[in-house]
């Protein structure tokens, strides 16, 4: 049985002071410890990784990053190497978020190189895929998501695929307050799993976790948590408040 993962994507929010205060408040909101049957991760901005990582030690809550570079080191001003993240105890790294793709020009080839760089350093990528509104309206959801999955996973071994996390995030649902329905999300997630099974085998496809992301909040979490296909959530806005994030962790217990 797959354990759901609820991951906080803070995006470009929270100073070190705000981030460290959050961890204490989250612990309190969870009643002191992470409940059984669910995993949780916090992906703060790079500047808060170290102090948040220190505070998360021993809590069972994992540390995640929002991005990394594909190379191990070198003259890449402003970038952060996978080994630098691993050294801080980072376990998960978000790769190919739609904001990276649309605002920073990341294409499938770069996303794939980042996924491979993460695995080289023992990090677990959370690979984001999802269609834009015009693609959904044109009936292209399956083609777009299949292409992103195929290219994103290129060159991986079945063992790596089994460890990977995919976040299905329809772009029109991110930050808009307009979430997909549970049924729609589950249908696309089934399709992704079948595609992975066809390319990497049933065992890897059944082990891989596939989250839903896009306007998930405590009020609608149950709509997604009740589908066994949906292995947790990648949460932006609703992860910024410790009580709300704690409620989401509780909602996805399996
Ligand atoms: P949202 O963001 O929960 O604010 O819609 C999700 C994401 O971008 O990962």
């Amino acid at each position: 049985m797959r354990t759901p993962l609820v991951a906080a994507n803070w995006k470009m929010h929270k100073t070190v002071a705000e981030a460290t205060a959050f961890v204490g408040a989250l612990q309190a909101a969870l009643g002191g410890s992470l409940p059984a049957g669910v995993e949780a991760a916090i992906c703060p901005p790079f500047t808060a990784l170290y102090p948040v990582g220190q505070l998360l030690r021993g809590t069972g809550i994992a540390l995640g990053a929002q991005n990394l570079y594909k190379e191990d080191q070198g003259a890449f001003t402003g970038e952060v190497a996978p080994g630098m993240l691993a050294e801080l105890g980072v376990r998960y790294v978000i790769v190919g978020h739609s904001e990276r793709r649309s605002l920073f020009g990341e294409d499938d080839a770069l996303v794939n190189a980042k996924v491979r760089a993460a695995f080289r350093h023992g990090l677990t990528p959370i690979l984001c895929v999802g269609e834009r509104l015009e693609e959904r309206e044109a009936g292209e959801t399956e083609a777009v998501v299949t292409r992103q999955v195929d290219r994103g996973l290129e060159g991986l071994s079945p063992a790596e695929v089994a460890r990977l996390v995919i976040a299905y995030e329809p772009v029109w649902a991110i930050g808009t307050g307009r979430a997909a329905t549970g049924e729609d999300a589950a249908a696309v997630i089934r399709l992704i799993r079948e595609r992975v099974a066809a390319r990497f085998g049933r065992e890897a496809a059944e082990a891989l976790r596939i989250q839903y992301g896009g306007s998930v909040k405590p009020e609608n979490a149950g709509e997604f948590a009740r589908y066994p296909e949906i292995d947790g959530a990648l949460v932006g806005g609703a992860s910024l408040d410790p009580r709300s994030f704690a409620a989401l962790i509780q909602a996805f217990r399996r």
Side-chain angles (χ1 to χ4, degrees), residues 7-11 94 97-99 128 167 169-171 173-179 212-217 233-240 248:
N9 173 14
W10 283 353
K11 310 192 180 188
I94 299 170
H97 189 277
S98 72
E99 286 148 21
C128 301
E169 298 205 306
V171 178
I174 296 176
T176 58
R178 183 187 161 197
Y212 167 75
S215 296
V216 176
K217 41 186 187 267
L234 182 57
V235 188
S239 75
L240 294 170
L248 289 172

Side-chain angles (χ1 to χ4, degrees), residues 1 12 31 35 38 47 49 56 61 83 91 97 100 109 114 116 129 153-154 158 164-165 183 186 209 226 242-243:
M1 196 55 173
M12 201 172 73
V38 65
T47 45
L49 278 174
L56 290 181
I61 300 169
R91 174 130 136 250
H97 189 277
R100 300 292 324 166
K114 290 184 172 193
R116 295 209 237 179
V129 300
L153 273 54
E154 230 165 77
L164 181 74
V165 179
E183 185 46 50
R209 286 180 293 182
R226 69 194 174 93
R243 279 177 306 275

